Amino acid sequence: MDWIMMLATALLAALMTLIALALWLKFVVSPNVARDLEVLLKDQAEQAADLMAVKVEEAVRRGIVDGVTSLPTREVLQGTTRNIARTSVEIVEERLGSLFGRKKK
């Protein structure tokens, strides 16, 4: 009977130790870990946002530079030159027509 009492006492002491440990983890350790984790996640989110802002800014700047440098300047100049030449020819044709007696349309 003595060994049953010793076993019961040991089991009861272990159970009480486990209960005390569970309460300590739930009410002391868990809130501290949650608070530390929240602060860590907030810091990481801010760093990620800053990094993404820099990347987006670089991409936009590169896109604008690429867009401006890839403008079809040669084609634009050729088109403008053609328009000026066509307009000049029309003006000369109209003046010559009026000199030689052609009527305006």
Side-chain angles (χ1 to χ4, degrees):
M1 180 117 162
D2 285 335
W3 63 275
I4 292 177
M5 286 298 274
M6 283 192 293
L7 184 62
T9 304
L11 289 175
L12 188 60
L15 181 64
M16 291 175 75
T17 303
L18 287 176
I19 290 172
L21 182 62
L23 291 174
W24 178 70
L25 286 172
K26 180 169 178 68
F27 293 112
V28 176
V29 174
S30 180
N32 290 338
V33 169
R35 186 174 45 252
D36 292 344
L37 184 60
E38 184 178 336
V39 168
L40 179 65
L41 287 175
K42 184 178 178 182
D43 291 343
Q44 291 294 322
E46 288 176 2
Q47 288 177 0
D50 291 342
L51 181 63
M52 285 181 63
V54 168
K55 296 278 186 184
V56 168
E57 183 179 340
E58 288 174 4
V60 168
R61 183 175 292 125
R62 188 173 43 246
I64 289 172
V65 168
D66 289 347
V68 168
T69 57
S70 69
L71 281 175
T73 55
R74 181 177 178 192
E75 291 82 9
V76 170
L77 287 176
Q78 285 177 347
T80 305
T81 305
R82 286 185 188 128
N83 287 339
I84 291 172
R86 189 176 303 121
T87 305
S88 299
V89 167
E90 289 172 357
I91 291 171
V92 169
E93 183 180 343
E94 184 180 319
R95 294 295 175 205
L96 287 176
S98 66
L99 282 177
F100 292 115
R102 290 189 194 167
K103 293 184 180 180
K104 295 181 183 179
K105 294 180 181 178

